[in-house]
Amino acid sequence: MTIPSDPVIGVDVGASTISAGLVCSDGTVFATAQASTRGGRPVVDTIFTLIDGALAAADAGRCRVAGIGVGLPGLVDVEKGSMLSIPSSWLSDLGDVPLAALIHTRTGHPVFVDNDVNALALGEWMFGLGRGTSSLATVAIGTGIGAGLIVDRRLIRGHLHSAGEIGHLAVSLSGPRCRCGSIGCLATYVAGGMMSERARERLARYSNSAVLALTGGHPERINSELLFEAAADGDPLAHEVVDEACEALAIGIGALVNLLNPEVIVITGGVAASLAPLQDDIERRVRRRALAPALDATRVCVVPADKRATVRGGAALVLYEMTRRSLNV
């Protein structure tokens, strides 16, 4: 295998899976590997192992790694190189761990960390659907929901690095209560795990629903994929949950269009595959929520999750940060 000179290593740390790979300057991904965050092994050790594997692949290809970028599932202090420790973090054992410094000490390479959806947005902007644009919003919907925002060719991080937390945009004047403590958050309607919770809460009210039977009588097995499939077959419980999810998502997209006026909105993540057949319906709902001229100028794309895209995000983070810091901006 021939690897172009000076690739970068991209790492995506998800709530359940970590992916890593070598990425060249045009976004081509080589030597990818994945590992589970489950099983009791410290997450930091798993990250180290995957990075070691990518470095070994680079050595075998006789090329020099230019840097390492890591996307993390939480609020990240980019300058300190660590994920903030907050109760609602998906991987709390990474909270306040100086990950960038640890990886740099281990490898000797420049290391940059950021929120995983910020990294994903940079990857789409540099290598994917947003290439050549000046503005883009990436909305990743999986276990949770977050957004990466690029405006005028700059990643928007916010004063406390918490910009893009669209999952906690209020889309309802009343409940349900979110894990973050607020009420009516977008995540409570659209995020995969929370959709399942909403369905389980309503089982007793829908005696004619087939959802429970589809799980073999095990409500804990209800997931978003099952709900979308059951809704397509006309199940009333699943239809109600999915209908609310689509309406809430339309409110969120409308807010992005009206507030940021991006050229492209990319909706991705584990739930995106189920949302893709509903894209036309979602866009009709957005029409009721967004300014027409702004929406007409915005391309909305629903793209199922792709581990290569998330790895490219970590690589794009390296390229973006090296440029930003060299310009001292």
Side-chain angles (χ1 to χ4, degrees):
M1 177 179 63
T2 301
I3 301 173
S5 61
D6 295 347
V8 293
I9 293 176
V11 182
D12 174 66
V13 181
S16 59
T17 304
I18 305 173
S19 302
L22 287 172
V23 184
C24 64
S25 58
D26 67 353
T28 303
V29 181
F30 297 88
T32 58
Q34 296 183 26
S36 174
T37 60
R38 300 191 177 18
R41 187 184 185 197
V43 176
V44 172
D45 289 348
T46 302
I47 294 171
F48 285 166
T49 298
L50 289 172
I51 290 174
D52 288 347
L55 288 170
D59 287 342
R62 297 183 179 182
C63 59
R64 183 183 68 87
V65 169
I68 300 170
V70 183
L72 298 171
L75 300 181
V76 176
D77 188 319
V78 176
E79 304 306 326
K80 291 183 178 179
S82 61
M83 189 171 80
L84 304 183
S85 180
I86 58 175
S88 58
S89 294
W90 293 111
L91 295 176
S92 57
D93 51 341
L94 286 179
D96 295 328
V97 173
L99 189 62
L102 292 175
I103 297 172
H104 174 71
T105 298
R106 185 181 180 91
T107 67
H109 293 292
V111 181
F112 307 98
V113 302
D114 201 343
N115 172 266
D116 54 351
V117 189
N118 282 349
L120 186 60
L122 287 170
E124 285 291 352
W125 179 55
M126 289 186 182
F127 307 127
L129 292 166
R131 184 181 297 198
T133 66
S134 64
S135 60
L136 169 142
T138 295
V139 180
I141 308 171
T143 308
I145 174 171
L149 311 172
I150 293 171
V151 177
D152 294 334
R153 298 179 174 84
R154 293 189 65 175
L155 178 65
I156 305 301
R157 288 182 167 123
H159 177 56
L160 295 176
H161 309 281
S162 66
E165 288 295 324
I166 193 173
H168 302 294
L169 173 74
V171 296
S172 170
L173 295 177
S174 57
R177 185 167 294 279
C178 181
R179 293 168 184 168
C180 75
S182 299
I183 58 172
C185 291
L186 177 61
T188 61
Y189 293 94
V190 183
M194 297 187 200
M195 285 182 66
S196 304
E197 288 181 14
R198 292 180 65 73
R200 282 190 285 270
E201 290 169 356
R202 302 178 187 188
L203 282 171
R205 291 174 22 213
Y206 283 89
S207 58
N208 59 338
S209 171
V211 167
L212 188 58
L214 291 172
T215 67
H218 298 278
E220 69 276 6
R221 295 179 183 174
I222 297 174
N223 57 40
S224 59
E225 183 178 4
L226 180 149
L227 290 171
F228 278 101
E229 291 176 356
D233 290 337
D235 182 85
L237 168 58
H239 179 270
E240 181 175 282
V241 173
V242 168
D243 183 71
E244 289 179 351
C246 291
E247 192 64 28
L249 181 58
I251 295 172
I253 295 172
L256 286 175
V257 171
N258 293 343
L259 185 64
L260 298 178
N261 188 207
E263 294 173 66
V264 182
I265 296 176
V266 179
I267 300 168
T268 187
V271 177
S274 297
L275 287 169
L278 303 174
Q279 180 168 347
D280 289 345
D281 176 56
I282 293 169
E283 290 189 12
R284 282 193 293 271
R285 295 171 188 253
V286 175
R287 288 262 162 216
R288 302 197 299 267
R289 306 288 184 177
L291 294 170
L295 182 58
D296 289 341
T298 301
R299 182 160 46 103
V300 179
C301 309
V302 180
V303 182
D306 176 358
K307 284 300 178 185
R308 285 182 174 265
T310 60
V311 167
R312 279 196 295 268
L317 174 63
V318 175
L319 302 177
Y320 179 82
E321 281 299 307
M322 284 183 163
T323 301
R324 181 180 76 88
R325 297 184 190 207
S326 69
L327 297 174
N328 195 29
V329 295

